[in-house]
Amino acid sequence: MPTKKELISLIIPCYNEEESIPVFYEETSKVMEKMKEVDFELIFINDGSKDKTLEILRSLSKKDKRVRYISFSRNFGKEAGMYAGLEAVTGDYAAIMDVDLQDPPEKLIEMYEILQKEDVDCVALYTESHEGYNWIRKSLTSLWYKLIDKISNSHQVAGARDFRLMRRQVVDALLDLKEYNRYTKGMFGFVGFETKWLSYEAPDRAAGTSKFNLRKLIKYAMEGIVAFSTTPLLLSAYIGILFCVIAFITILFIIAKTLIFGDPTSGWPSMVCIIVFVSGIQLFFLGIIGMYLSKIYLEVKHRPVYLIKETEKTRPGEKK
Ligand code: UDP
Ligand code: MG
């Protein structure tokens, strides 16, 4: 009797990707053709797209039984998409991939081989060059990775993509982290396991445009910091202490000065400067505390990370 083939589940978050999905499917089919020793399952997540993404996914899943899809009730963001995918996988291995071919499907061959031969649990990709991203985004990204690696308790590789092939065990570990504010890049560091990093050149998008604008990226970066580091909270305490010390020394200085030279009423402009500066610092750190507070608020509400409207099993007009 032939032994059962292993199953690789691909998780593919899609948001307004009507142009990319057919190209992605074509490229991935070639790879699946080459990897005959394994079975595949493609789980597309339709993250509240407003274009024809859902229709394309419906017809793909009708045509090819390996294609599954989960369609959200609205746009919940890529993090929610990845989580939904991880919850849905049934494979022995799972990989998260962008649909725009910036995570080349051919890499799966090499990644699977490594998992077969070497004693690692996860094969991940990082890139040193981001074709197609402008210099502002490139330099901000590299700066941010340096910062987050310093201040957070989970190691993050610079230029890490979300593209990685992992064993079932790693998927289960990620699912054990039940938090609402999900920052997957940090979560991989947190759960541990042996990860092998491969460098590659990230190509430009195959079709369509990037779904992350600067505003979305800054929000994502903030989430990463707040989710995996409490350093900003400590920072406010340190700066507070520093200001107390400076104020104390200044008071001593003013007392000494008054005793020696008398008290001519001058210097109110510098006073105003100091007041403005100090209140600015206070507001800044109140903001930081507010950021953590808002995350705690969302966390205690226990809202679902995503809501499903339709899957390949509950297609409209078809019986369950
Ligand atoms: N994506 C998503 N929900 C969103 C934004 C993006 O599911 O709200 C998906 C998108 O369809 C793509 C992947 O996340 O498959 C990466 O997005 P994109 O390529 O636009 O980001 P970039 O490569 O520019 O960082
Ligand atoms: Mg992309």
Side-chain angles (χ1 to χ4, degrees):
M1 205 181 88
T3 49
K4 204 170 162 287
K5 283 188 197 172
E6 287 192 300
L7 177 66
I8 298 182
S9 305
L10 303 182
I11 301 166
I12 312 128
C14 307
Y15 177 48
N16 295 340
E17 298 282 9
E18 58 182 7
E19 291 164 68
S20 304
I21 295 170
V23 200
F24 175 86
Y25 179 71
E26 197 179 308
E27 284 303 307
T28 312
S29 299
K30 284 184 207 156
V31 174
M32 294 193 288
E33 198 56 38
K34 280 187 204 150
M35 295 175 76
K36 284 208 165 33
E37 70 280 18
V38 275
D39 281 331
F40 278 90
E41 160 186 69
L42 273 63
I43 308 174
F44 288 91
I45 318 290
N46 173 31
D47 187 11
S49 303
K50 297 203 167 47
D51 62 359
K52 296 206 166 56
T53 298
L54 181 57
E55 284 153 53
I56 296 173
L57 293 180
R58 278 182 191 144
S59 69
L60 261 187
S61 82
K62 218 171 236 168
K63 208 174 71 187
D64 185 342
K65 284 290 151 248
R66 293 171 299 184
V67 174
R68 298 172 55 193
Y69 68 86
I70 297 170
S71 185
F72 289 172
S73 60
R74 63 167 169 87
N75 180 248
F76 281 89
K78 188 184 173 188
E79 286 294 331
M82 292 194 282
Y83 183 55
L86 288 171
E87 283 197 318
V89 298
T90 60
D92 307 287
Y93 301 89
I96 299 171
M97 298 173 81
D98 285 3
V99 73
D100 57 10
L101 294 179
Q102 282 188 305
D103 299 333
E106 315 82 77
K107 280 278 169 194
L108 283 171
I109 303 174
E110 188 186 347
M111 291 159 106
Y112 181 68
E113 239 165 52
I114 291 173
L115 282 180
Q116 296 303 298
K117 288 196 193 120
E118 295 178 30
D119 191 18
V120 292
D121 307 292
C122 210
V123 183
L125 291 190
Y126 72 97
T127 176
E128 282 155 82
S129 73
H130 263 119
E131 294 292 322
Y133 293 163
N134 61 26
W135 67 270
I136 302 179
R137 181 161 172 185
K138 275 190 209 164
S139 40
L140 279 180
T141 309
S142 97
L143 194 77
W144 185 78
Y145 272 114
K146 282 191 193 119
L147 177 76
I148 189 89
D149 198 40
K150 280 234 156 53
I151 66 171
S152 89
N153 48 11
S154 92
H155 176 64
Q156 316 229 344
V157 173
R161 306 274 311 169
D162 290 321
F163 186 22
R164 49 174 85 218
L165 184 66
M166 58 199 130
R167 291 184 199 277
R168 179 80 228 181
Q169 247 184 326
V170 184
V171 175
D172 291 337
L174 288 171
L175 290 175
D176 273 342
L177 306 187
K178 302 266 182 240
E179 60 232 60
Y180 175 80
N181 295 287
R182 305 190 75 82
Y183 176 69
T184 307
K185 282 200 174 80
M187 292 167 111
F188 277 114
F190 179 86
V191 297
F193 293 98
E194 283 306 317
T195 302
K196 181 164 181 161
W197 287 94
L198 306 176
S199 163
Y200 86 118
E201 298 259 316
D204 203 353
R205 244 181 181 273
T209 53
S210 174
K211 307 297 177 284
F212 282 89
N213 51 26
L214 196 62
R215 189 179 60 81
K216 258 194 170 175
L217 277 177
I218 290 175
K219 189 169 164 265
Y220 180 61
M222 288 297 171
E223 251 151 43
I225 292 176
V226 178
F228 279 90
S229 168
T230 45
T231 310
L233 286 175
L234 277 180
L235 202 68
S236 65
Y238 289 140
I239 293 193
I241 293 170
L242 182 73
F243 271 70
C244 288
V245 172
I246 292 173
F248 185 68
I249 295 170
T250 324
I251 288 167
L252 288 184
F253 176 73
I254 290 170
I255 292 174
K257 196 177 147 223
T258 317
L259 287 179
I260 300 167
F261 301 109
D263 184 24
T265 37
S266 65
W268 70 268
S270 52
M271 202 60 170
V272 171
C273 292
I274 291 165
I275 291 170
V276 169
F277 179 60
V278 173
S279 30
I281 297 269
Q282 280 175 346
L283 280 179
F284 176 61
F285 284 103
L286 265 181
I288 291 180
I289 293 168
M291 250 156 55
Y292 282 91
L293 202 69
S294 68
K295 296 285 163 198
I296 296 169
Y297 178 55
L298 288 173
E299 214 63 69
V300 296
K301 278 205 276 195
H302 290 299
R303 289 211 171 147
V305 177
Y306 58 87
L307 291 168
I308 297 177
K309 189 173 166 202
E310 177 187 331
T311 69
E312 81 284 351
K313 292 198 185 79
T314 62
R315 209 178 283 140
E318 260 178 48
K319 292 218 170 67
K320 274 181 207 171

